[in-house]
Amino acid sequence: MRNHRLEEKIRQVPQKPGVYMLKDGSGKILYIGKAKVLRDRVRSYFQKNLPSNPRLYSLVRRTRDLEWIVTSSEVEALLAEANLVKKHAPKYNVSLKDDKSFPYIRITREPYPQVLLTRRIVKDGSNYFGPYTEVKTLRKTLKVIHKVFPIRSCDYYINKESIEQNKHSVCLDYHIKKCRGPCEGLVSREAYNGMVHNVVRFLHGRTDSIIKDLKATMEAASEARKYEEAARFRDQLRAVETFSNRQRKVSATFDDKDIIALSVRDKDACAAVIRLRNGKVMSREKVYLLGVEEDNLRQAVHDFIRQFYMDADFVPREIIVRELPRDVDAITEWLERKRNKRVYLTVPRRGEKVRLLRMGEQNADLLLEEYRRRRKRRKELVPGMVQRLQSDLRLSVPPRRIEAFDISALHGTNPVGSMVSFVDGASEKREYRKYKIKSVRGIDDFAMIREVVFRRYTRLKSENATMPDLILVDGGKGQLGMAVSALQVLGLTYIPVVGLAKRLEEIYLPGYSEPQSIPKSSPGLTLLRRIRDEAHRFAVTFHRQQRKETVTRSIFEEIRGVGPVTRKRLLGSFDNVEAIAEASTTEVCEKASVGVRIADEIISMAKSTTTSS
């Protein structure tokens, strides 16, 4: 079927650099890309002959709308693309698996900076070093840093004023020589920041110059007969030398290089990044990728470099790859802006660099193989209670993913539904969903179950998301029948559905008028009860929250001077209306930030409400 609206939009795409977003019928972004000439790139998707690549074919078939953002240059388009992909994580873009949780070393922007591990980047002028994927190695590095450099471990904001006003005092770290006491001004700002500068050099792999400085300082202290101080510098020197000796020399030159190697097998991909600093291996990072096609490695290299160096602290002089990324000129210009120096993207043909690239590819292959074996073991390892449930319900496959529904509508007010998800018998709380009932009036649990089930799987179907192996509804034949009815409309009758009634813990299956017999001691039934109870708890909690907001909102709306902000403060400060009724005027004034008159009116209204109920 022709989409005239999309065709018209394609004709309107400008011949300028920018970012384009392909969307499905519901407005969800499927793919984000950038182009030097937007019109040429966008039109290439919609030629008469659909692309032979299955992933690209699927993208084009699902596209129903598009948007674009014009930029002043291709490099600006690259930055906009990176930020938008990170924000929206479209299904058809190559993405770094769990990239939001990669740790960094952060050096705060303060008069006396902190050096700490963080997983969240705040644009406040702090310096970030990373990303790191080997957390154990990162923690060892931090341990060495704090052993060598007596940097403070507290999170106080220390400046000249706080020192003069004696706001803070030294802690145990000072007495055991792990901190030089900046909080009491026992070390000058210049000397402290000199240590921080050495930390930066250490993180950049410049250990040789640090060793040289420590030797000189140790010898000077020894000559001055400050033997305790010299011993401390000796211990720091040994720690740096031990760390440096563990870094294997692999390059004849002393240039900084990153080796990026990709390994792709079926739909799995792994990138290994080996960081060479001063010719030594500084670290090896591994990143698993989603959405990589074996026949389009140039695009994968482009997307990986863009995402990996987006928040990186340091861009090396040379990046060695097997294939140059797509739009290599724009990528190179962007990297050079980050580095403020020339950057070379190199595809080696002979010599030492080929050997380094092979080393990276061996790492990537081994890491990917390990990942695939680990995932295969997880798939093969089906918990016993899941296997027993499969046997109890006579299912064709183990119900590894179970989704359960419940309704909560006490006295017919604020009806809500809940959906909880369990995988291999464990709750997946990120997948839980809450539903406010929209289409049902009055008390009708059956219709409410139908609405919630219909809404859940309409959404999953539109997103081509993974369907559950088993659906559980809290209730008997009536609730089960309505859930089956919703699935029939959606064409999803192949998904097994069961009902679990509370009163006698009876199992109901579609097509059977009587409850099915399952041993009460069966681990499978125990699992179903646990999931049903969790769905009930989740629904009741949401319902109470809705009732509390409705009651508090409705009874105080009539008081002049009590607006949405004040009602929100009341909700956050008191458990219920009864608590407000029992509170003092002073307490309400403080917690709701209102005057005495309004506080008295709030308490009076709360008391009259609790008395009448």
Side-chain angles (χ1 to χ4, degrees):
M1 184 182 294
R2 294 185 63 181
N3 187 333
H4 296 288
R5 182 167 171 267
L6 179 60
E7 291 174 356
E8 180 61 30
K9 278 202 167 185
I10 293 170
R11 284 193 287 269
Q12 294 172 3
V13 177
Q15 287 185 298
K16 292 185 177 181
V19 178
Y20 58 93
M21 291 164 278
L22 305 182
K23 300 182 175 183
D24 64 12
S26 65
K28 183 178 179 181
I29 298 174
L30 299 172
Y31 181 78
I32 297 172
K34 69 105 183 128
K36 191 173 184 178
V37 181
L38 280 169
R39 181 180 295 177
D40 294 348
R41 179 64 59 82
V42 170
R43 284 185 172 181
S44 69
Y45 289 96
F46 302 97
Q47 303 298 329
K48 288 185 178 180
N49 296 324
L50 287 174
S52 57
N53 182 296
R55 189 176 180 83
L56 196 54
Y57 177 86
S58 173
L59 169 63
V60 173
R61 289 295 299 269
R62 291 187 63 188
T63 300
R64 295 290 180 272
D65 194 8
L66 72 93
E67 287 184 16
W68 61 85
I69 300 170
V70 173
T71 59
S72 60
S73 68
E74 192 179 4
V75 174
E76 281 192 19
L78 184 75
L79 285 169
E81 178 196 26
N83 287 317
L84 288 168
V85 168
K86 193 167 187 178
K87 179 180 179 181
H88 297 287
K91 178 178 179 179
Y92 288 88
N93 281 90
V94 173
S95 60
L96 278 59
K97 183 174 170 59
D98 298 330
D99 63 320
K100 290 181 181 177
S101 65
F102 288 157
Y104 293 79
I105 291 176
R106 177 188 178 194
I107 299 180
T108 59
R109 187 184 182 186
E110 298 176 77
Y112 296 87
Q114 304 172 57
V115 179
L116 46 89
L117 187 151
T118 184
R119 291 180 183 269
R120 189 167 65 94
I121 290 180
V122 182
K123 303 293 185 182
D124 62 350
S126 296
N127 288 327
Y128 293 88
F129 297 84
Y132 296 93
T133 60
E134 298 283 359
V135 180
K136 287 183 180 179
T137 305
L138 174 57
R139 292 192 185 279
K140 286 180 183 177
T141 303
L142 274 173
K143 190 174 180 181
V144 173
I145 287 172
H146 283 288
K147 185 173 183 179
V148 175
F149 308 105
I151 301 292
R152 67 190 182 99
S153 59
C154 62
D155 58 0
Y156 300 131
Y157 183 82
I158 301 172
N159 58 12
K160 184 179 178 182
E161 289 73 25
S162 70
I163 294 170
E164 290 174 350
Q165 295 170 15
N166 294 320
K167 284 189 174 181
H168 314 296
S169 57
V170 294
C171 61
L172 179 63
D173 279 359
Y174 172 77
H175 296 290
I176 61 175
K177 311 297 183 184
K178 290 185 69 176
C179 175
R180 293 179 64 182
C183 55
E184 290 190 13
L186 301 176
V187 58
S188 69
R189 181 175 174 181
E190 292 73 20
Y192 186 92
N193 280 278
M195 286 193 296
V196 173
H197 177 68
N198 280 333
V199 170
V200 173
R201 287 199 294 167
F202 182 88
L203 291 171
H204 283 162
R206 307 290 185 261
T207 53
D208 291 346
S209 58
I210 294 173
I211 289 171
K212 184 179 177 182
D213 290 347
L214 282 172
K215 278 183 178 178
T217 310
M218 178 186 69
E219 289 168 0
S222 179
E223 288 174 5
R225 297 186 178 182
K226 297 179 181 178
Y227 299 119
E228 185 178 342
E229 194 173 318
R232 188 168 70 251
F233 289 126
R234 177 202 63 203
D235 294 342
Q236 293 174 1
L237 178 62
R238 286 176 179 172
V240 176
E241 287 177 335
T242 301
F243 182 84
S244 179
N245 290 336
R246 286 205 303 264
Q247 298 171 331
R248 186 162 57 96
K249 178 84 173 173
V250 295
S251 176
T253 66
F254 291 90
D255 293 336
D256 295 330
K257 301 182 182 73
D258 278 357
I259 303 155
I260 297 178
L262 263 65
S263 181
V264 184
R265 213 162 300 165
D266 299 329
K267 294 183 179 181
D268 300 321
C270 176
V273 182
I274 297 178
R275 290 173 171 152
L276 266 61
R277 304 293 181 260
N278 277 343
K280 292 182 179 181
V281 176
M282 183 70 180
S283 69
R284 183 204 68 181
E285 312 302 329
K286 64 175 185 290
V287 182
Y288 298 109
L289 305 173
L290 304 174
V292 176
E293 298 286 342
E294 284 189 69
D295 58 356
N296 197 2
L297 286 182
R298 291 191 68 203
Q299 179 66 47
V301 173
H302 169 280
D303 290 342
F304 176 75
I305 289 176
R306 184 200 66 213
Q307 293 180 72
F308 188 78
Y309 290 104
M310 184 70 182
D311 295 312
D313 62 293
F314 179 78
V315 177
R317 180 176 182 272
E318 185 174 20
I319 299 173
I320 299 173
V321 292
R322 174 63 68 190
E323 282 197 59
L324 288 175
R326 185 174 61 80
D327 303 322
V328 63
D329 293 338
I331 284 279
T332 304
E333 185 180 344
W334 170 63
L335 290 170
E336 288 176 345
R337 285 189 187 182
K338 285 184 71 70
R339 176 176 162 81
N340 289 323
K341 290 181 182 178
R342 289 294 302 273
V343 175
Y344 299 91
L345 284 167
T346 306
V347 178
R349 302 300 178 196
R350 65 178 76 85
E352 181 189 74
K353 292 178 183 178
V354 170
R355 179 177 60 79
L356 292 173
L357 184 59
R358 285 200 193 111
M359 177 180 71
E361 289 172 341
Q362 287 173 355
N363 275 269
D365 288 341
L366 290 169
L367 289 166
L368 181 60
E369 189 59 35
E370 178 191 354
Y371 170 74
R372 285 164 64 87
R373 280 200 305 267
R374 194 166 62 243
R375 194 179 61 182
K376 185 179 179 182
R377 283 198 300 269
R378 282 202 303 266
K379 283 185 176 179
E380 291 173 349
L381 188 63
V382 180
M385 60 173 52
V386 174
Q387 292 178 335
R388 185 58 185 271
L389 184 58
Q390 177 188 6
S391 174
D392 290 339
L393 299 178
R394 299 183 291 280
L395 301 174
S396 57
V397 296
R400 305 190 69 162
R401 178 178 291 274
I402 302 173
E403 293 187 348
F405 295 85
D406 192 16
I407 299 295
S408 184
L410 186 66
H411 305 308
T413 61
N414 302 100
V416 297
S418 71
M419 189 285 295
V420 300
S421 179
F422 277 62
V423 175
D424 285 341
S427 62
E428 291 278 315
K429 295 198 173 180
R430 289 179 301 178
E431 300 295 323
Y432 284 19
R433 296 293 181 269
K434 303 171 182 175
Y435 297 91
K436 292 181 181 178
I437 301 300
K438 297 178 178 179
S439 63
V440 182
R441 297 291 175 264
I443 304 175
D444 189 345
D445 280 7
F446 298 160
M448 292 177 189
I449 278 285
R450 188 183 191 282
E451 177 189 325
V452 173
V453 171
F454 185 81
R455 284 166 59 186
R456 168 65 176 169
Y457 297 112
T458 299
R459 179 69 177 268
L460 289 193
K461 192 175 179 182
S462 69
E463 295 175 350
N464 280 340
T466 303
M467 294 292 177
D469 301 311
L470 177 67
I471 297 171
L472 171 66
V473 295
D474 183 11
K477 287 187 293 184
Q479 287 87 348
L480 178 65
M482 297 306 278
V484 170
S485 170
L487 295 173
Q488 284 174 339
V489 174
L490 296 170
L492 300 174
T493 52
Y494 63 87
I495 303 176
V497 192
V498 298
L500 180 57
K502 282 193 184 77
R503 191 166 61 88
L504 298 174
E505 303 289 8
E506 295 174 328
I507 296 286
Y508 287 88
L509 299 176
Y512 295 89
S513 58
E514 297 299 324
Q516 299 304 293
S517 175
I518 292 180
K520 299 298 183 185
S521 59
S522 168
L525 182 58
T526 301
L527 175 60
L528 286 182
R529 285 174 182 157
R530 182 150 57 89
I531 297 172
R532 188 270 319 276
D533 292 344
E534 175 66 358
H536 180 69
R537 180 202 64 78
F538 194 53
V540 168
T541 302
F542 183 42
H543 181 254
R544 285 174 180 163
Q545 176 190 339
Q546 292 298 304
R547 284 187 65 209
K548 177 183 173 184
E549 290 180 3
T550 301
V551 170
T552 308
R553 183 169 57 246
S554 60
I555 68 170
F556 297 128
E557 269 179 351
E558 299 174 5
I559 300 176
R560 188 176 177 183
V562 178
V565 175
T566 303
R567 291 196 293 271
K568 188 175 181 180
R569 290 197 192 109
L570 287 168
L571 279 170
S573 303
F574 297 95
D575 291 335
N576 47 43
V577 177
E578 288 79 5
I580 297 173
E582 295 172 0
S584 65
T585 302
T586 304
E587 189 178 2
V588 174
C589 285
E590 290 177 356
K591 292 186 175 180
S593 299
V594 296
V596 173
R597 180 189 63 80
I598 293 177
D600 286 338
E601 286 190 49
I602 288 171
I603 294 170
S604 177
M605 180 68 76
K607 285 180 177 177
S608 63
T609 302
T610 54
T611 303
S612 61
S613 60

